[in-house]
Amino acid sequence: MARGVYIHIPFCHQICNYCDFNKFYFKNQPVDEYIEALGKEMALTTEKHPETFRNIETIFLGGGTPTALSPEQLDKLLTSIHTYIPMNSVTEFTSEANPDELSAAKLQVLFDGGVNRLSMGVQSFDQGLLQKIGRTHSNDHVYETIALARKIGFRNISIDLMYGLPGQTMAQWKDSLAKAFTLDLPHFSAYSLIVEPKTIFYNQYAKGKLYLPTEDLEADMYDVLMQQMALHGLQQYEISNFAKPGYHSEHNKIYWDNDEYAGFGAGAHGYLAGIRYSNHGPLKKYMEAVEANELPIVHAHEVSQVEKREEQMFLGLRKTEGVMHSIYEEKFKTPMTAHYDVVIKDLVSKGLLEQDELGVRLTRKGRFVGNEVFQQFLLED
């Protein structure tokens, strides 16, 4: 049973230097035709899995950049969503957004269309760093857009921040955090830069032209992040996410809980009826499949019980509450210790995990080396 829906809008007016998501420059793209194809894909999928979509809790518009669309295109997209996705159980409807693209008209269309949460890509409040990473907005765009969104009625607003950026200093990071806190937002996400293949930064790195902070400095930035969020009353509920009570990202928790969700759009990923799948990335292939009344799936994999157990652990351990013994046993009909007792005891002895009668979770020390901890749960045959 799917809990959430992800919808991919792969268009951008500017490509960020670090982004490895499926995306295309907006100009001269078949945007209107793509929105039509999304509606057809939703119709095909809900026809194939009618029971699966009865109790959808969350919808997430991601990209690319959903706010690259015009108000009219956004309205058309939202109309399709309301047509094909049952909305009776939806409590959280998020759209990603760029601060310099959210006009009053777009915000009003989103709000009227049921979107009740905005996730804005701010990344930094240092203009020089923004230029380095390929962002086009200014701090004024951020302040003005958030004020406008609040005026229209949005209360659940989150911004993304990044650290470990090329040439970034601790002073710059602390300054960005200080400016972010003046916004008094209920949610923040903060990610360290990962240099991914097929990005501008990867090409620079391969040529020895990308100068990144040291691992020690990056770890210190993460330490400062956790300290400052706590000081400002924001609870860390996942490795990279912080919120005031009642403002956790419910959609992202579906991923970390290892529950099922539908993915629509070019390059989108989903997890339905025990199958993890991904769609065609190229627009032409995606749209041709849908126009032929076929699901645009290019890869599909039936997840084995071993993989489900592994995913339950390494995804669930991203949450500060960790993996609950009761939920694990309910899903797999055996205690967690039946599969991972040795691994858990070893990680507890190293101070990277803690375990009690409720479950197992990363320690503060473990959060700094989360990926290394997660890998220990991928040892099953």
Side-chain angles (χ1 to χ4, degrees):
M1 187 72 70
R3 290 179 54 199
V5 168
Y6 173 81
I7 299 169
H8 193 69
I9 308 300
F11 307 111
C12 299
H13 291 296
Q14 172 68 28
I15 303 296
C16 299
N17 295 348
Y18 53 83
C19 179
D20 71 329
F21 293 113
N22 194 47
K23 74 279 185 186
F24 306 93
Y25 279 111
F26 188 93
K27 190 175 181 180
N28 299 322
Q29 296 293 346
V31 180
D32 292 303
E33 294 86 348
Y34 179 78
I35 296 171
E36 290 278 356
L38 274 173
K40 291 180 182 178
E41 185 194 1
M42 287 185 244
L44 289 168
T45 306
T46 52
E47 283 175 20
K48 184 176 181 180
H49 303 279
E51 298 298 318
T52 297
F53 289 88
R54 284 195 170 181
N55 297 296
I56 295 298
E57 301 168 22
T58 69
I59 300 173
F60 195 101
L61 303 180
T65 318
T67 52
L69 304 183
S70 69
E72 294 76 20
Q73 289 165 337
L74 282 170
D75 184 62
K76 185 177 179 181
L77 171 64
L78 292 165
T79 299
S80 281
I81 293 169
H82 280 268
T83 300
Y84 298 111
I85 305 299
M87 303 295 290
N88 54 297
S89 301
V90 174
T91 57
E92 180 186 278
F93 192 164
T94 302
S95 178
E96 290 184 339
N98 279 345
D100 52 343
E101 292 178 349
L102 269 178
S103 64
K106 291 182 184 181
L107 281 165
Q108 193 65 60
V109 168
L110 290 169
F111 189 77
D112 292 344
V115 174
N116 58 18
R117 183 174 184 268
L118 296 175
S119 179
M120 294 175 54
V122 172
Q123 318 312 2
S124 176
F125 284 87
D126 184 284
Q127 199 64 47
L129 284 175
L130 287 172
Q131 290 173 358
K132 277 186 182 180
I133 65 177
R135 304 292 288 176
T136 57
H137 68 268
S138 67
N139 290 354
D140 286 343
H141 283 128
V142 176
Y143 303 137
E144 292 165 5
T145 300
I146 288 176
L148 184 57
R150 282 172 165 157
K151 183 178 179 181
I152 285 172
F154 287 97
R155 295 292 174 264
N156 194 351
I157 302 173
S158 175
I159 65 171
D160 289 352
L161 298 171
M162 294 183 72
Y163 59 96
L165 298 173
Q168 187 179 30
T169 66
M170 180 63 82
Q172 288 171 317
W173 177 230
K174 288 181 176 178
D175 182 66
S176 276
L177 287 172
K179 287 183 169 69
F181 292 132
T182 65
L183 297 168
D184 191 27
L185 297 175
H187 190 282
F188 294 91
S189 299
Y191 305 100
S192 63
L193 174 68
I194 299 175
V195 180
E196 301 280 9
K198 300 180 182 179
T199 63
I200 295 171
F201 274 168
Y202 186 83
N203 293 335
Q204 292 177 358
Y205 181 78
K207 296 175 183 176
K209 296 181 178 180
L210 190 69
Y211 305 104
L212 301 173
T214 64
E215 288 185 7
D216 286 344
L217 177 54
E218 186 177 310
D220 289 343
M221 288 177 171
Y222 185 52
D223 192 37
V224 166
L225 169 69
M226 290 191 289
Q227 291 177 30
Q228 288 299 308
M229 289 290 172
L231 284 172
H232 287 83
L234 292 134
Q235 176 198 27
Q236 184 174 17
Y237 69 99
E238 189 266 349
I239 285 178
S240 303
N241 286 271
F242 306 81
K244 294 180 180 179
Y247 287 93
H248 294 187
S249 169
E250 296 302 323
H251 184 81
N252 284 339
K253 283 172 71 176
I254 293 171
Y255 303 147
W256 304 322
D257 288 342
N258 197 28
D259 287 336
E260 295 194 348
Y261 62 97
F264 297 114
H269 293 247
Y271 182 26
L272 290 176
I275 305 291
R276 288 201 182 274
Y277 66 91
S278 58
N279 284 347
H280 286 290
L283 291 179
K284 184 178 179 182
K285 288 189 175 181
Y286 168 80
M287 294 169 67
E288 283 177 348
V290 174
E291 287 165 9
N293 290 318
E294 298 174 359
L295 290 177
I297 294 172
V298 64
H299 295 297
H301 171 69
E302 184 174 356
V303 183
S304 69
Q305 280 297 107
V306 169
E307 290 170 316
K308 287 178 182 178
R309 294 199 298 263
E310 292 173 344
E311 291 170 353
Q312 190 73 21
M313 296 305 297
F314 73 73
L315 292 170
L317 284 171
R318 294 191 63 88
K319 301 177 294 181
T320 52
E321 70 176 19
V323 182
M324 301 292 101
H325 289 303
S326 59
I327 293 174
Y328 187 97
E329 190 161 350
E330 180 183 347
K331 278 193 173 184
F332 303 110
K333 311 307 177 189
T334 51
M336 188 191 307
T337 51
H339 300 127
Y340 296 112
D341 190 47
V342 173
V343 173
I344 290 171
K345 284 180 177 177
D346 178 59
L347 292 168
V348 168
S349 72
K350 294 175 180 175
L352 302 177
L353 285 185
E354 61 183 28
Q355 182 177 207
D356 55 26
E357 68 278 0
L358 292 177
V360 59
R361 65 199 63 84
L362 290 174
T363 61
R364 194 178 193 281
K365 177 183 176 182
R367 294 176 203 167
F368 287 89
V369 290
N371 287 336
E372 295 175 25
V373 174
F374 304 152
Q375 287 173 7
Q376 303 308 304
F377 293 91
L378 301 177
L379 300 178
E380 292 195 56
D381 186 357

